[in-house]
Amino acid sequence: MLKRTMSLMLVLILAMTSVVGVASASTTTKETVINLSDTAVTVDGQKASTSSSAAVYTGASIVYYEDGHDSSYGEGTDSDAHSVEEAAKHTVVTITKPGVYRVSGKLSKGQLAIDLGEDAASDPTAVVTLILDGADITSTVAPAVIFYNVYEPYTNTEDTKGIVELSQAGAQVILADGSVNTINGSYVARIYKEGTTKKLHKYDGAFYSKMSMNISGEAKGTGELHITAANEGLDSELHLALNGGKIYIEAQDDGINTNEDGISVTSINGGYLHVNAGLGAEGDGIDSNGYLTINGGTIVTMANDRSPDGGIDADKDITINGGTVLALGTRNDATSSTSKQPFMELSFATTQAKGSIISLKDLAGNELLSHTSEKNFQSVTFSSADLKLNTEYQLYINGVQQQYTGNSFGMMGGGFGGNRPTGDNGQGTPPTGERPTTGEKPEGGFNPNGQNTTDTTVSGEGSTAFKITEAIHSFSGISEAINNSGKTKVTFTVNEGAGIQSVASGKSVVLNGVTASADVPESDIQLTVTDVPSENYSETYLLSELKDDFSKIMPEEDGQYRLTIAVASSNETYTGVSQWQFAIGMLPFTDVKSNDASYNAIKTLYEKGIMIGTSSNQFSPNSPVTRATAITTLGRLLNIEQAQSNAFNDVVKNSWYSGYVGWAVENGLVIGDGKGNFMPNANLTAEQMKAVISRYVELNGLKIAVDELFPNTLTGTMTRADLASLLSKLL
């Protein structure tokens, strides 16, 4: 296997190839040649017209956010506003007719605008193709390039599920082979229609289109587009496709943004894209308010390293079907499992410094990734055609091997997975004793107040084997491999060892203290909270910055979250990571989906403390139920008084389930095998559970139609989901 890296030289070589299927360089229509100049703009060698009826004219007023207005004018602040004098220095070159326009030359203060009229959106012939061939445009008050009105092949209510074809879109841009094009642009804050708060103008990007836009390269794919943005870089109000050429974006806010909520698609099909975004207070590398679909090309994208932003961010699915992708940020949005190309999501326990060298190798030493970071990062998403499923990889930062403590299935290590609560469970002494030999885990305790108190503490052992499968592609708590670091291992506890407790909706998660197993300076202890999977929430602080005010870092909205506490990688003496997963107002289990038939039943029993999980974030709904688990869960639901019994030889006295078995024996609910054995670890069948419920109903004179509890489809070994669905009917 040939060595493949993400070094800049190889990236440029890869980017030499553009894709087909676009309205690209093979234009046969007659071109109109526009030469930009601060002294005289020419069109086909003649001075540009000043008449708005011409196909190309100069002299239109630039749209900008004017200073000197109160809040009735718009949403802008003083920093968004510009003077009349500054705006008047800009030359606006406006294209008003369909056609192919080759643009070169320089406007040091100006704008290239395309406006084919309000009826253009529904006219398939209203297509303008800009061939950028050495264009250099700077605007300090508005976008340097803007498509106002051209043909729009899609509606803003049509959900395409992330798939668009824009070769017929009205906004076509081609990067001429061998050209270098420079766009330095500003933006226009929201301006109201007079007398209302409705939008009249709002253009956030330096290179902007109100309609879907298609950007391609010519045959060789060597044309370059460099965008420097005072706000966002490359924007479309609906869809955007990048197909070829080389695009470099530096933006104060988002590098790329497509902004129709839940609808927009950013589609990357070829070429080379390099985004350094969030150079201001915030900003994602690529931000789609709908879908992000990557089918090809080479993408390196970076976000703000001080705010909770990602190299890739989308409100709907992020799908990677091809190409080479490297996204860095504080947190990247999760990539969809429906992606056709393998991908790896890496969440580091602490911030990695600018200049860090990221390397990913297979066990034969072949290097798939070698990248020197241009800014700080804590999250990396990587995808490549060379990345294979069921293959072990090793990760290095600056030559130091890394390990992880959590993956897509949750966090590693630690006892019962942190499921059994501490303290009195409202029914006497909490169960203690041995685990069943089959590995069946106790279901946790019962809280009479109905509040689940699952402790999700996990300070697991790390693994250096980064292996992606169909189910596992995300790795968290990444830090230096302890065995190779030469440093002393440190673990952390929170809330005086009580861990983090999941809470109901509207309640606050309690975090009031962090304790390290060694004397690590607070300035070297980093706390990070992210949602799981990563979508909306990420907060990171040093312990010294929090000053015991942990509310700064803890979320309030319903969701699943992970707290990671780690020693900063810059500490030369200590290393270590501890993680906790918790939930607010929802199930913490990644294997139970809201559209599952058993979801509501599981949620009900979980919230009442009757059933919890097999680990901190797994419910194992399809796993069989043992006889011990079934009797214990039924006893919890009925809030029975536990009793010890010597009726069975194979029931471990004072174990987590023995008191419930004793209750069942006293009430004639269980018989055993007739040889003095209860068989606690044997799987329970629906028929056996029906017999238990029937005996309970009969002995207590209850009016319950047992047959209605057991549908004809419920036969054979019961699963945990089956048990939850059954018992929820008894509440």
Side-chain angles (χ1 to χ4, degrees):
M1 173 179 170
L2 293 177
K3 176 177 176 180
R4 178 185 176 112
T5 75
M6 282 286 297
S7 66
L8 180 57
M9 181 175 293
L10 183 52
V11 164
L12 293 177
I13 294 172
L14 290 171
M16 298 294 284
T17 302
S18 59
V19 301
V20 296
V22 297
S24 68
S26 57
T27 55
T28 57
T29 306
K30 178 183 179 300
E31 297 177 1
T32 298
V33 178
I34 301 174
N35 187 61
L36 306 175
S37 172
D38 291 335
T39 56
V41 175
T42 62
V43 179
D44 289 336
Q46 302 296 314
K47 184 177 180 180
S49 173
T50 57
S51 171
S52 60
S53 63
V56 182
Y57 78 99
T58 62
S61 298
I62 195 166
V63 175
Y64 70 104
Y65 198 95
E66 187 177 85
D67 63 8
H69 293 277
D70 61 21
S71 59
S72 65
Y73 176 71
E75 296 179 355
T77 64
D78 289 345
S79 62
D80 303 317
H82 306 276
S83 68
V84 173
E85 293 76 15
E86 182 184 4
K89 295 177 182 178
H90 287 69
T91 298
V92 179
V93 178
T94 306
I95 296 173
T96 67
K97 305 295 182 184
V100 178
Y101 298 84
R102 186 175 293 269
V103 183
S104 59
K106 179 176 181 178
L107 284 178
S108 58
K109 285 188 183 295
Q111 182 186 71
L112 179 60
I114 297 88
D115 189 350
L116 274 56
E118 295 181 357
D119 296 333
S122 59
D123 180 1
T125 68
V127 177
V128 168
T129 300
L130 293 181
I131 303 177
L132 300 182
D133 192 3
D136 185 342
I137 308 172
T138 296
S139 173
T140 62
V141 300
V145 177
I146 184 166
F147 285 86
Y148 283 113
N149 291 295
V150 290
Y151 174 57
E152 176 53 70
Y154 291 92
T155 69
N156 61 5
T157 59
E158 180 183 358
D159 188 345
T160 68
K161 307 300 182 183
I163 300 173
V164 291
E165 205 290 310
L166 299 182
S167 63
Q168 304 304 312
Q172 299 288 333
V173 179
I174 294 173
L175 308 180
D177 278 340
S179 69
V180 176
N181 302 279
T182 304
I183 303 297
N184 297 302
S186 188
Y187 60 98
V188 179
R190 186 185 183 100
I191 301 172
Y192 299 143
K193 292 181 179 179
E194 188 173 355
T196 74
T197 57
K198 295 181 179 180
K199 183 180 74 171
L200 177 62
H201 299 290
K202 183 178 185 290
Y203 314 121
D204 291 331
F207 198 118
Y208 195 89
S209 180
K210 294 182 67 177
M211 310 297 187
S212 294
M213 180 164 51
N214 199 43
I215 301 180
S216 308
E218 286 191 320
K220 296 179 180 179
T222 59
E224 298 181 10
L225 174 61
H226 296 257
I227 299 174
T228 302
N231 189 38
E232 295 177 350
L234 179 61
D235 284 17
S236 170
E237 291 190 9
L238 194 50
H239 304 309
L240 172 68
L242 306 181
N243 308 297
K246 304 172 186 177
I247 301 175
Y248 304 83
I249 301 173
E250 292 196 353
Q252 295 298 303
D253 205 294
D254 295 339
I256 291 176
N257 185 280
T258 48
N259 56 41
E260 186 63 44
D261 291 343
I263 299 294
S264 284
V265 178
T266 300
S267 180
I268 304 175
N269 306 305
Y272 174 64
L273 174 65
H274 184 279
V275 180
N276 188 358
L279 299 176
E282 61 182 5
D284 297 303
I286 303 172
D287 182 2
S288 174
N289 290 0
Y291 300 87
L292 172 58
T293 304
I294 300 173
N295 298 313
T298 300
I299 300 103
V300 179
T301 174
M302 297 161 282
N304 186 289
D305 57 6
R306 302 172 303 281
S307 62
D309 292 309
I312 50 176
D313 181 284
D315 292 349
K316 290 289 192 76
D317 288 345
I318 296 175
T319 307
I320 302 176
N321 301 320
T324 302
V325 180
L326 180 64
L328 303 95
T330 300
R331 58 139 201 96
N332 290 320
D333 272 9
T335 299
S336 172
S337 60
T338 63
S339 297
K340 296 178 182 178
Q341 179 169 282
F343 62 93
M344 183 178 288
E345 297 171 321
L346 308 172
S347 296
F348 289 82
T350 61
T351 301
Q352 304 301 299
K354 172 183 177 181
S356 295
I357 301 174
I358 313 164
S359 175
L360 185 71
K361 300 178 180 180
D362 62 21
L363 294 184
N366 298 304
E367 192 171 50
L368 283 78
L369 168 64
S370 178
H371 178 81
T372 302
S373 65
E374 299 173 46
K375 58 203 316 181
N376 297 342
F377 66 93
Q378 198 169 352
S379 177
V380 173
T381 298
F382 174 64
S383 181
S384 164
D386 289 339
L387 200 60
K388 305 299 181 185
L389 296 179
N390 304 309
T391 300
E392 184 175 326
Y393 297 102
Q394 295 178 333
L395 179 68
Y396 299 85
I397 298 292
N398 298 324
V400 178
Q401 189 170 17
Q402 304 291 296
Q403 66 178 24
Y404 65 92
T405 57
N407 57 30
S408 298
F409 276 156
M411 295 174 287
M412 302 169 60
F416 294 130
N419 284 307
R420 192 166 60 188
T422 58
D424 184 56
N425 66 356
Q427 303 174 54
T429 305
T432 58
E434 300 178 13
R435 283 183 261 178
T437 56
T438 61
E440 176 75 30
K441 299 176 178 65
E443 294 288 347
F446 176 81
N447 187 320
N449 296 320
Q451 174 60 56
N452 187 289
T453 57
T454 303
D455 169 15
T456 56
T457 306
V458 175
S459 295
E461 296 299 324
S463 171
T464 59
F466 290 79
K467 179 185 289 188
I468 55 175
T469 67
E470 290 287 354
I472 298 175
H473 47 74
S474 300
F475 304 89
S476 66
I478 298 172
S479 64
E480 297 171 321
I482 293 173
N483 294 338
N484 300 327
S485 69
K487 298 180 181 180
T488 300
K489 178 182 177 181
V490 175
T491 59
F492 298 92
T493 57
V494 296
N495 297 333
E496 298 181 343
I500 300 289
Q501 312 297 336
S502 295
V503 298
S505 182
K507 301 293 184 180
S508 297
V509 176
V510 175
L511 177 60
N512 55 27
V514 175
T515 304
S517 62
D519 189 18
V520 182
E522 290 190 354
S523 58
D524 282 351
I525 298 175
Q526 182 171 329
L527 288 77
T528 302
V529 177
T530 58
D531 54 347
V532 180
S534 177
E535 292 294 343
N536 300 307
Y537 191 88
S538 178
E539 291 290 344
T540 297
Y541 284 88
L542 295 175
L543 185 58
S544 58
E545 295 173 331
L546 289 170
K547 302 184 186 302
D548 295 328
D549 181 9
F550 295 99
S551 64
K552 296 178 182 177
I553 198 171
M554 299 306 289
E556 298 179 353
E557 300 294 325
D558 287 0
Q560 297 183 32
Y561 299 93
R562 179 189 296 120
L563 167 64
T564 301
I565 304 179
V567 180
S569 57
S570 58
N571 188 290
E572 297 180 355
T573 305
Y574 299 105
T575 186
V577 179
S578 297
Q579 293 185 294
W580 296 258
Q581 193 153 310
F582 59 94
I584 301 176
M586 64 183 301
L587 291 174
F589 309 123
T590 59
D591 57 356
V592 181
K593 307 302 181 184
S594 60
N595 58 353
D596 290 347
S598 59
Y599 178 86
N600 289 332
I602 294 171
K603 187 172 186 291
T604 297
L605 297 185
Y606 172 77
E607 290 177 343
K608 291 181 177 295
I610 296 169
M611 290 185 79
I612 49 180
T614 56
S615 74
S616 61
N617 67 343
Q618 295 286 297
F619 184 79
S620 303
N622 298 319
S623 295
V625 177
T626 65
R627 290 164 55 86
T629 295
I631 291 300
T632 298
T633 307
L634 177 63
R636 289 201 195 108
L637 181 143
L638 300 173
N639 198 16
I640 59 90
E641 182 176 345
Q642 298 182 51
Q644 298 296 326
S645 172
N646 295 318
F648 297 121
N649 300 321
D650 57 352
V651 173
V652 178
K653 196 170 184 179
N654 294 321
S655 63
W656 58 271
Y657 62 90
S658 60
Y660 297 98
V661 175
W663 159 77
V665 170
E666 287 186 356
N667 287 273
L669 303 184
V670 295
I671 298 173
D673 66 353
K675 300 178 182 179
N677 298 312
F678 174 67
M679 301 173 293
N681 302 319
N683 293 339
L684 181 81
T685 67
E687 292 75 18
Q688 291 168 342
M689 191 65 185
K690 185 175 182 179
V692 171
I693 297 294
S694 296
R695 291 176 194 141
Y696 178 79
V697 169
E698 181 181 354
L699 290 171
N700 289 275
L702 302 177
K703 296 182 179 180
I704 296 176
V706 176
D707 287 341
E708 295 181 5
L709 299 177
F710 290 83
N712 294 333
T713 55
L714 184 56
T715 60
T717 301
M718 290 191 72
T719 66
R720 288 170 52 81
D722 291 336
L723 182 64
S725 298
L726 168 66
L727 296 184
S728 67
K729 299 175 183 178
L730 297 177
L731 291 172

